[in-house]
Amino acid sequence: MVIKRRTTHKTPTAEEIERFAAGADTLPNTATKATTPRTAKARQPVADKKPKLTPTDKEQTAQQRGAHLPTLQPHAKRDFKAIRVPFNEFEFTQLEQIATKTGRSKLNCIRWALSKLAEQLKEDDA
């Protein structure tokens, strides 16, 4: 068994205190920064500092962003997002009945209904 010995702390000399204080004066003091009043320059909104875009610049920027977006795959692995959906007893019974009649799992029924609704909305928009 190892026993650690406590070392006594020595009292710093006046020179050591002065050296420490001189070094502390050069470091930024976060406590005083929080209490110093803000200047008018600091109160300017960040949006004013950004360059203003013309409508053509905005369109080009949107096109550039769209060019870098990956294409979405309908049959990709399902590890993107997960949600918890609370059901009441009536809704859950309906879900079970639909799953049984269609031979699908409950989750697959929800996904299938989502895709059918998306198709209907797409047809209505056209």
Side-chain angles (χ1 to χ4, degrees), residues 29-38:
N29 189 346
T30 56
T32 57
K33 280 186 180 181
T35 58
T36 55
R38 293 182 180 183

Side-chain angles (χ1 to χ4, degrees), residues 16-122:
E16 291 172 334
I17 293 172
E18 189 61 36
R19 230 179 305 131
F20 176 79
D25 289 341
T26 60
L27 295 175
N29 189 346
T30 56
T32 57
K33 280 186 180 181
T35 58
T36 55
R38 293 182 180 183
T39 62
K41 186 176 183 181
R43 290 185 186 148
Q44 292 175 353
V46 178
D48 292 346
K49 295 179 183 179
K50 291 181 181 178
K52 295 190 179 189
L53 298 175
T54 62
T56 55
D57 292 338
K58 289 180 183 178
E59 291 170 6
Q60 288 176 353
T61 305
Q63 289 173 354
Q64 289 171 350
R65 273 188 264 131
H68 297 292
L69 291 177
T71 56
L72 299 177
Q73 302 296 323
H75 301 292
K77 187 176 177 184
R78 291 188 175 103
D79 61 352
F80 179 66
K81 290 279 184 180
I83 58 173
R84 182 183 175 277
V85 183
F87 291 101
N88 62 26
E89 189 175 355
F90 175 76
E91 294 166 337
F92 193 76
T93 304
Q94 277 188 324
L95 180 61
E96 284 181 321
Q97 288 172 353
I98 293 168
T100 304
K101 285 182 182 179
T102 59
R104 300 172 185 273
S105 69
K106 293 178 203 78
L107 284 175
N108 189 267
C109 280
I110 294 169
R111 290 185 187 113
W112 175 71
L114 176 70
S115 66
K116 291 297 176 189
L117 180 60
E119 286 175 15
Q120 281 181 353
L121 292 175
K122 201 181 271 187

